[in-house]
Amino acid sequence: MRINHNIAALNTYNKLAANTAATSKSLEKLSSGLKINKAGDDAAGLAISEKMRGQISGLDTASNNANDGISLIQTAEGALSETHSILQRMRELAVQSSNDTNTTSDRKEIQKEISQLTSEVDRISTDTEFNTQKLLNGDKATKVNTNGYTGITNTSDISVDASVATGSYTATVSVQAATGSVSTDYTQKAHVISGTAASSVKMDAGAVSGSHTGTVVRKDTGVVGNSLTATSGNVDTMASGLKLEAGTYTIVTKKTGAAGSGIAVFELQDSTGAKIGSGVASASGVVSSIKFKIGTTSGTLTATGATTLSGKSSFTVSNAYKYSGGSVTANGATDSANKVTVSLSSTAKIGNTFKIGVDVGSATKPTEDITGADLGAGTYSLTVTNYDKTAKTATLALQDSKGNAIKDSQGKAITYTGTVATGTKINLAGVKLSGGAITGTSSTQFTITKAAVSSVKLTNSVTNSAVDGISFKLNEKAVDKDTFNVDVDSSNQMKFQIGANQSQSTSLSVAAMGSTDLGIDKLDLTTQSGADAAITTIDSAITNVSSERAKLGAVQNRLEHTINNLSTSSENATSAESRIRDVDMAKEMTEFTKNNILSQAAQSMLAQANKQPQNVLSLLQ
């Protein structure tokens, strides 16, 4: 037995110390609820847990960022909602001013409201802010520079996604030609423009081009019959005096006096034998003149030569016409001044007016190219008016199948006024023709079966890779295989940090929404034509605002989904981090209970071990 070293006590003490330390750790975990309270608890787990905590915090902050982004977008979209309301009111005023029941002073009053509404659109554009940042004045827009390429009319014809990075790109134009056919050429023709009196028009050699007015007048074919004869002019005088319409009339002797005494009585009958008027001879026996009366209207027939009082005679009244101030001519005859023949309809009445058009066009087919037409499928007319044979000038206009003017994106009719001499190249909405074949007042029809299709391919100048995200609306000046440089500056775009890590963001470009940007800064409703054109201009502005609001709404919807995703990610990451760092209370309580019992047992055994050396005293007694 040894007394200098109590090995049993030392062993028991070590066990007691270990159990006490284990109990202390269990108490620490149970009191904090954490499995890892210091690096020594789990070095690797601590490192993973801290990275996950940073991620969770970032996800929560990104969710807040997305909510702030939604607030900004709602501010901008709400302002554009009012711009939409203003544009709708402008359109109402344009439609109202287009009506010619308004006087010039009325339209001036309408223009006052238009001016105020235009100013309000500008104020909304410049004053709409979020956190002191202006949203609708173009400060947050991506800038695109096409370096003067003429195939693009306005910057509003360019659409760029927020994903397009700042840089210089090469654009290549591809144009698929329109297909169709020219159905008629600039050939000679004459036609009735208005009025039902004229049924047809025939052009004669040397016919004068233009629009001319004719008036229906009377013309007779003379007297044919038994006992009365008269010159054409005399019958015409009576027909005019009695206001007789076209038809066959009969003069019937109803009563005669004795030779040298009495008055002869005559009756005027129509083709059915019905009496329409009566008259008396100026002398009995031999007739020199007959005075007829229909109602209160009188006419006189002067006979030629010795005419008896018996029998009856017929005469025919025809309708002729007076054309553009020319002389009276017989029905169906040619007007010598204008070299045309007009056939009157059976319903033509004296005094009816009509208008005819004489188009002296070219017998040669014009050089006409519709392959580059900037028009949809359909049938169109290209009309020539105001032709000046001496100056070789004319006005050309495009019309649809109903005769309505084709208008450009600004609401203005597409026309050309100028030289049409040989060698002149004319372009109307991509329809190309040579001036040498244009003569007179005429028109041609053409049909487009398939519209031209144009596109632009963008290439990164550095990497030579294709670039998506920019679209262009090309005009008729764009030619297949054109190339031009496109410079994009997206530095002013708003970026929303919607992720926990670097580059996890989305961008938003908000275009300028002022009156100039929308093309409504120069609306003029003081004239009917200006008001009519303004309707199309305002429609285009409404479309632009709708497009911008749709873009804002799309980004807002995306951010709402982003928030949902961030919340889910944060929840899952928190759950994962909890499994690493949080203590399992039930399990740790079991450990604590075990260690606590072991500590108590070790204490008891240490007391027993400490008593063992005292047994040596029994040997010393």
Side-chain angles (χ1 to χ4, degrees):
M1 298 180 70
R2 295 183 295 271
I3 62 172
N4 287 326
H5 293 87
N6 190 342
I7 302 304
L10 289 174
N11 181 266
T12 303
Y13 175 75
N14 288 337
K15 296 297 182 182
L16 176 61
N19 291 334
T20 302
T23 302
S24 178
K25 289 181 179 180
S26 293
L27 284 172
E28 184 180 25
K29 294 175 181 179
L30 289 170
S31 60
S32 66
L34 297 174
K35 183 164 58 177
I36 303 174
N37 289 282
K38 55 185 180 296
D41 292 339
D42 185 351
L46 178 67
I48 296 172
S49 174
E50 289 299 331
K51 283 192 293 185
M52 295 185 73
R53 283 189 172 185
Q55 200 69 7
I56 293 167
S57 176
L59 291 171
D60 292 340
T61 304
S63 180
N64 292 334
N65 290 347
N67 274 309
D68 291 340
I70 290 175
S71 298
L72 182 146
I73 289 171
Q74 288 175 333
T75 301
E77 200 269 331
L80 289 181
S81 173
E82 195 57 37
T83 299
H84 248 158
S85 298
I86 292 173
L87 291 174
Q88 293 291 359
R89 174 56 181 165
M90 283 181 161
R91 195 181 191 284
E92 289 179 10
L93 294 173
V95 173
Q96 178 183 349
S97 184
S98 295
N99 193 9
D100 270 337
T101 57
N102 294 290
T103 64
T104 300
S105 59
D106 293 334
R107 290 191 172 109
K108 287 181 179 179
E109 297 304 317
I110 292 174
Q111 183 65 34
K112 290 180 181 178
E113 183 174 353
I114 286 290
S115 299
Q116 290 297 320
L117 293 175
T118 302
S119 298
E120 182 58 18
V121 169
D122 286 330
R123 190 201 65 78
I124 291 173
S125 173
T126 56
D127 292 358
T128 301
E129 296 181 352
F130 183 86
N131 193 26
T132 72
Q133 298 183 82
K134 295 186 180 298
L135 302 179
L136 303 177
N137 66 346
D139 285 353
K140 304 301 181 183
T142 298
K143 305 295 190 296
V144 179
N145 180 16
T146 57
N147 297 288
Y149 178 57
T150 58
I152 298 172
T153 305
N154 304 306
T155 54
S156 59
D157 294 331
I158 304 172
S159 176
V160 56
D161 293 342
S163 59
V164 180
T166 298
S168 180
Y169 306 96
T170 300
T172 304
V173 176
S174 174
V175 177
Q176 270 187 323
T179 59
S181 60
V182 178
S183 58
T184 58
D185 301 324
Y186 296 87
T187 53
Q188 301 179 11
K189 64 179 179 178
H191 56 95
V192 178
I193 297 176
S194 63
T196 59
S199 61
S200 63
V201 186
K202 178 183 176 182
M203 293 176 59
D204 297 292
V208 178
S209 174
S211 175
H212 309 291
T213 300
T215 303
V216 178
V217 295
R218 292 175 181 83
K219 192 68 177 177
D220 71 279
T221 59
V223 173
V224 179
N226 299 324
S227 58
L228 292 178
T229 61
T231 62
S232 174
N234 289 330
V235 176
D236 182 50
T237 300
M238 186 181 72
S240 297
L242 296 178
K243 299 182 179 179
L244 298 177
E245 292 294 346
T248 300
Y249 299 89
T250 303
I251 300 173
V252 181
T253 303
K254 303 298 289 186
K255 179 181 179 181
T256 60
S261 65
I263 301 297
V265 179
F266 297 88
E267 186 174 285
L268 185 63
Q269 300 174 354
D270 61 18
S271 60
T272 65
K275 176 183 176 181
I276 60 173
S278 61
V280 296
S282 60
S284 60
V286 177
V287 176
S288 60
S289 64
I290 304 173
K291 295 181 179 180
F292 278 99
K293 189 173 186 180
I294 299 176
T296 60
T297 305
S298 300
T300 301
L301 169 65
T302 301
T304 301
T307 304
T308 64
L309 301 178
S310 61
K312 61 181 179 179
S313 297
S314 298
F315 66 93
T316 301
V317 175
S318 300
N319 283 345
Y321 61 92
K322 184 181 291 185
Y323 176 61
S324 298
S327 60
V328 174
T329 61
N331 182 33
T334 300
D335 181 83
S336 59
N338 297 290
K339 304 292 179 66
V340 293
T341 299
V342 176
S343 296
L344 298 176
S345 66
S346 59
T347 58
K349 300 293 183 181
I350 307 301
N352 287 164
T353 60
F354 56 89
K355 183 178 289 188
I356 63 172
V358 182
D359 299 341
V360 184
S362 172
T364 305
K365 182 178 179 179
T367 302
E368 189 168 327
D369 181 6
I370 62 173
T371 57
D374 187 21
L375 300 167
T379 300
Y380 302 88
S381 294
L382 201 159
T383 62
V384 181
T385 56
N386 303 323
Y387 177 70
D388 189 320
K389 184 176 182 181
T390 303
K392 296 290 185 183
T393 59
T395 297
L396 283 71
L398 283 177
Q399 298 176 344
D400 61 18
S401 59
K402 296 181 179 179
N404 300 315
I406 303 298
K407 299 180 180 180
D408 60 18
S409 58
Q410 305 302 315
K412 297 181 180 178
I414 300 175
T415 61
Y416 166 87
T417 300
T419 303
V420 292
T422 302
T424 305
K425 296 186 182 299
I426 300 170
N427 189 320
L428 286 173
V431 178
K432 300 176 183 177
L433 60 157
S434 90
I438 301 170
T439 59
T441 302
S442 52
S443 65
T444 182
Q445 283 189 338
F446 59 91
T447 300
I448 294 179
T449 54
K450 182 180 179 182
V453 178
S454 58
S455 60
V456 178
K457 179 182 178 182
L458 279 181
T459 306
N460 190 305
S461 303
V462 177
T463 63
N464 200 35
S465 58
V467 177
D468 296 324
I470 303 182
S471 59
F472 302 89
K473 181 182 179 182
L474 302 176
N475 59 30
E476 65 273 11
K477 295 181 181 179
V479 179
D480 189 37
K481 297 183 181 179
D482 273 352
T483 59
F484 59 96
N485 292 328
V486 178
D487 298 321
V488 178
D489 180 9
S490 59
S491 59
N492 293 326
Q493 289 184 2
M494 288 178 288
K495 292 188 181 297
F496 301 138
Q497 181 66 28
I498 55 173
N501 303 318
Q502 181 181 359
S503 300
Q504 293 181 345
S505 61
T506 187
S507 300
L508 175 64
S509 173
V510 183
M513 289 284 109
S515 62
T516 302
D517 308 294
L518 296 174
I520 58 170
D521 56 318
K522 296 179 181 178
L523 294 179
D524 182 8
L525 272 62
T526 58
T527 63
Q528 194 280 335
S529 59
D532 190 47
I535 296 173
T536 302
T537 302
I538 295 171
D539 281 342
S540 178
I542 290 173
T543 300
N544 289 338
V545 175
S546 297
S547 176
E548 199 65 21
R549 288 184 67 184
K551 180 177 71 177
L552 292 173
V555 175
Q556 178 178 336
N557 289 340
R558 174 186 176 177
L559 291 179
E560 289 174 351
H561 288 292
T562 297
I563 291 171
N564 293 337
N565 175 259
L566 290 171
S567 298
T568 302
S569 297
S570 176
E571 177 185 346
N572 292 332
T574 301
S575 177
E577 196 266 344
S578 173
R579 284 192 290 271
I580 294 173
R581 198 144 187 170
D582 288 351
V583 69
D584 184 339
M585 296 295 286
K587 180 179 178 182
E588 196 59 41
M589 193 64 198
T590 301
E591 287 295 317
F592 171 75
T593 302
K594 181 191 74 173
N595 292 328
N596 192 31
I597 294 172
L598 288 174
S599 294
Q600 293 179 23
Q603 288 177 353
S604 176
M605 293 305 99
L606 181 60
Q608 295 298 323
N610 285 335
K611 291 181 180 180
Q612 281 185 349
Q614 295 179 2
N615 293 332
V616 175
L617 295 177
S618 62
L619 297 174
L620 296 177
Q621 292 178 354

